[in-house]
Amino acid sequence: MKNWSILCSILLGCSIAVAQKEDPYADSPSSYRPGHPLAPAESAAIITIPGFKVEKVLTVPEVAGSITAMTTDKEGNLIVAMQHQPGLYRVRPTELGSENESRLEALGGVAASVGWCQGLLYAFDSLYVTVAEKNGLRSSGLYQLSDMDKDGEFDEVTSLLELDGAGEHGPHSLAVGPDEESLYFICGNGTPVPDVIKNRRTIITEGNDHLMPEGFESTQYTEGGWIVRMRPDGSDAEIFAAGLRNSYDLAFNKEGDLLTFDSDMEYDLGTPWYRPTRICHLVSGSEFGWRSGAGKWPEYFEDSVKPVVNIGPASPTGVIFGYDTQFPGKYQDAFYALDWTFATLYAVHLNPNGASYSGEVEVFASGIGLPLTDVAIGQDGAMYLSVGGRRLGSAIYRIYFDGPEGVYGKVPDLDNNQDSCDLRLSVESLHGQARDGAVDKVWGHLGSEDRSIRYAARVALETQPVEEWKSQVLAEGSLQIQLPALLALARKGSKADLLDALDQLDELPLEGLSEGGWLLALRVYELVLARGGNSLRELASDHSFRLSRHMPHASNDVNRELSRILCYLGESAAIDQVLDLMDADSGEKEILGADLVHRNLRYGTRVMDMMQAAPMVDRMYHAAMLTWIKDDWSQSQRERYFQSIVDAMLLSKGGKGYQVYWEQILSVAKEALSPGEVKELSSIWAPIDMVVPLPAPEGPGKIWEMDYLLERIAEGFGKRDFENGKKMYSAANCITCHVMMSEGGIVGPSLTSVGQRFTVKDVLDAIIHPSNVISDQYQLTTVTLESGDVLSGRIHSRDASQIMLASNALNPTQIESIPNSDIESIVLLAVSSMPPGLLAPLNEEEVLDLIAYIMAGGHYEHPVYSEN
């Protein structure tokens, strides 16, 4: 075994040397390339709540790689693995309070032949390792390492599950089940379920099961991210939950419930199908409805599991409960979730919510240079955190409590939902296979007021043969039971059963439905139509007028689903109603905290920039739905529709996909026009055709320090490129808000003469640290109304009776009047409307060309361009 270890070390050393000369990201999407520009933080720069202390345990040598996975062995040592290279390592933590860092010890034996890892777990006297990248030694999948001769060195490796998925959306982490006899293993949405897994608790869906217009259908819908339960040796594998995007880790609480932190798709920020990162309760048979693109299920769909709590923009990595820490009780019981992008450790405090949970989210620790990857609890009661990933500088930190006793409140009592949880678990025991008497046991629970109980009962029902219960659905007299049962029939029945379900829907007393009843009924409609094809679509058209009488509804979610069904059925009588809903949307705005922005300038500034421009979420949704209706439009309706789209495209922003989706909507809508209509309406979208996309910098960029740039410019700019400076003025988004030589936006001050009034240092300081000095003319304000609504923007003017708020950064003439009597509070934010990090994407020459262009006021003949 020793010789094998030496041989592997030699071979792996060669493979590392080769890898460093090649581009490991050559075939990867750009989002996978290294992007975080910061080295690991110093402990003093990490902020945590009072009473807790942070220490750096280890700075990982660059040659060792970058940690993405961590676990503790039975001696209390940390075992760590790297993302892009082989080899496992041991870290023996120093005592709490020690000023010395620990050492990184390479493990010998077969441990040298595994790595490329995004999940580690020491359990059952074995080390479980997920290999998550393609390499020349081990295929992607789950491995078990054993120490057969008990000499402290792993000498046997067994492949438990080979997988097709790899990369950051491949195989991830593991947890020991509450029975202490099983493993739960989580994989990202880039990992197909292998054919060897035959058993499942989730109910397979057919196609999207989600009506979306042409061009917006999902291209990936079968499983998404999934969890498999298995024995410690990999046998008896069963799919336990699915429909996640890319959860990295999972953990059980003391009650035996499984939770995770699921990711979002930042590309979709500002769109109606964007779902924030969220904490999810992974109940038996979970389906969370992740689909690619616009096909994602909203959380109110009855056949998906609602999240415990939404977080927002983040990149989820490790999770853990704090039970084994020496923290105060409140923080021992917290669920901890790591965010790689914004360098944040969240403490989520769970509260009982029927048979599941709700949650309160607290920032427990944060810092710059803290791309968190995994978490473990040491035998010393401290929480250990690894940072790294994507070849970044890597380190291990620990957090422990060092404050007075009794400073934090009581632990929430989760026992008061025990009866509900016990009921859910008893119903879930009927999942996975047909059982005698199961239909009678679960039938009454279909009408439970608790969505978690209803969900468990419906999954159990769908597991049983349809012939045993479909007649009972059609004969059911209680609407509260019949609607969930109809949902099950729509999901599992034949084409004939779908027709029966449609007939039942025709008898619904719509006037008496609650919001939840409406959403459930409309979800049944959608599934019947999605599964039934064109023949059922024609039969269902008789329902459209009856449904249209209830639009607009008081519920925004109900309006969305009514819009979906009515537009799909081609109900032209609903066009004006849906146009009214489009026009009512002036934009959804949310201020992203300045502290969050500074933790990741590159990503945070994009999010903040978008939030200032108020993405029109509902307008996009209803505009997409209306593309189903091809005929029976009046000329005025067409004009109104296209003008609403163009206004949104010109005056709002979102993630990278926001404008792409608007362009798709506009393109699909145009295809329905006759040549004559195109000619008559083309002047409406002409401003869109005139918009020239902003150029992109070449990079690579970094976080630029003002002192370095000032030193670089101290003796003059040198020979600069005027045309490139002008290009960078656009690439850095300066042109969006500032005028230069009559070109640009009017949101911020003109920069044409800035070089005559300010020094280079002043200009650099204003760009790099825009929130240090904020003119009240451009300061952001949040206005909280008595109704609870929160508005944000710049105060245009105010008097004794009202304030005038400019809420859209891209349309400063759009002013909203707010009576003082409606205002509860006004808070001026210590953050500029100009985001930081504008220079981050630019390389050094591009930065210097840009600053020269600004100081020259856009004049080519300025002396700065004659310097040598």
Side-chain angles (χ1 to χ4, degrees), residues 332-644:
Q332 278 189 9
D333 276 18
F335 177 71
Y336 293 89
L338 278 59
D339 169 15
W340 185 88
T341 294
F342 288 111
T344 304
L345 171 62
Y346 292 104
V348 181
H349 305 286
L350 300 178
N351 296 305
N353 183 17
S356 186
Y357 304 94
S358 60
E360 299 174 10
V361 181
E362 176 184 14
V363 175
F364 184 75
S366 63
I368 297 175
L370 200 68
L372 296 163
T373 56
D374 209 354
V375 56
I377 308 300
Q379 289 184 351
D380 53 12
M383 177 179 289
Y384 287 80
L385 302 164
S386 62
V387 306
R390 297 188 182 176
R391 306 187 190 279
L392 303 179
S394 189
I396 297 176
Y397 303 86
R398 64 182 166 209
I399 300 178
Y400 60 95
F401 185 68
D402 193 36
E405 295 183 5
V407 293
Y408 292 107
K410 296 181 179 179
V411 179
D413 183 10
L414 299 181
D415 290 339
N416 60 14
N417 71 335
Q418 194 58 51
D419 290 344
S420 295
C421 289
D422 289 344
L423 173 58
R424 172 176 55 78
L425 291 171
S426 70
V427 175
E428 289 175 352
S429 68
L430 302 173
H431 292 180
Q433 59 182 321
R435 301 171 189 267
D436 291 339
V439 174
D440 291 339
K441 290 178 182 178
V442 305
W443 193 261
H445 297 309
L446 291 169
S448 173
E449 295 289 343
D450 186 334
R451 178 169 164 176
S452 298
I453 302 296
R454 291 199 309 273
Y455 186 92
R458 182 187 49 75
V459 172
L461 182 67
E462 292 181 19
T463 306
Q464 314 310 312
V466 176
E467 296 302 319
E468 291 185 10
W469 49 270
K470 70 176 181 180
S471 60
Q472 197 168 337
V473 177
L474 304 177
E476 177 59 51
S478 167
L479 187 63
Q480 194 164 345
I481 293 175
Q482 189 185 44
L483 279 175
L486 281 172
L487 181 64
L489 187 62
R491 287 170 54 89
K492 297 298 292 181
S494 64
K495 286 287 182 73
D497 296 328
L498 294 176
L499 185 58
D500 288 337
L502 186 62
D503 290 340
Q504 291 292 313
L505 290 171
D506 200 27
E507 301 298 323
L508 283 181
L510 298 178
E511 288 75 10
L513 289 179
S514 64
E515 178 185 17
W518 263 109
L519 291 172
L520 180 47
L522 291 169
R523 178 60 177 150
V524 178
Y525 261 114
E526 179 178 20
L527 280 170
V528 167
L529 295 170
R531 297 283 183 93
N534 287 330
S535 59
L536 237 63
R537 184 178 189 176
E538 294 175 6
L539 290 171
S541 61
D542 293 341
H543 295 232
S544 59
F545 178 72
R546 179 169 174 252
L547 290 171
S548 68
R549 291 165 51 207
H550 296 274
M551 181 185 276
H553 192 274
S555 164
N556 185 61
D557 294 338
V558 172
N559 279 330
R560 285 192 177 194
E561 296 311 308
L562 281 170
S563 174
R564 185 195 308 277
I565 302 302
L566 291 170
C567 291
Y568 175 76
L569 295 176
E571 180 52 68
S572 59
I575 292 176
D576 280 324
Q577 296 166 317
V578 179
L579 288 172
D580 288 342
L581 293 173
M582 286 179 63
D583 291 342
D585 179 15
S586 58
E588 292 186 10
K589 185 180 297 187
E590 176 183 341
I591 295 294
L592 188 69
D595 58 334
L596 202 63
V597 172
H598 283 289
R599 282 178 234 151
N600 189 322
L601 295 175
R602 183 171 301 177
Y603 183 29
T605 52
R606 289 204 302 264
V607 177
M608 190 168 180
D609 185 39
M610 176 202 74
M611 292 305 182
Q612 298 306 308
M616 297 180 181
V617 179
D618 279 336
R619 187 177 298 198
M620 176 179 284
Y621 178 91
H622 295 297
M625 297 304 122
L626 279 172
T627 60
W628 261 315
I629 303 180
K630 308 297 184 183
D631 304 311
D632 299 323
W633 289 71
S634 69
Q635 177 72 9
S636 61
Q637 287 172 334
R638 290 284 195 200
E639 291 173 356
R640 186 181 172 194
Y641 175 71
F642 283 106
Q643 189 62 60
S644 185

Side-chain angles (χ1 to χ4, degrees), residues 69-99:
M70 180 169 62
T71 188
T72 53
D73 65 16
K74 59 186 177 182
E75 281 82 30
N77 301 310
L78 300 173
I79 306 295
V80 301
M82 313 302 172
Q83 180 178 11
H84 298 302
Q85 58 195 63
L88 303 178
Y89 298 84
R90 180 189 295 114
V91 179
R92 306 178 193 271
T94 57
E95 293 184 0
L96 298 182
S98 172
E99 295 182 359

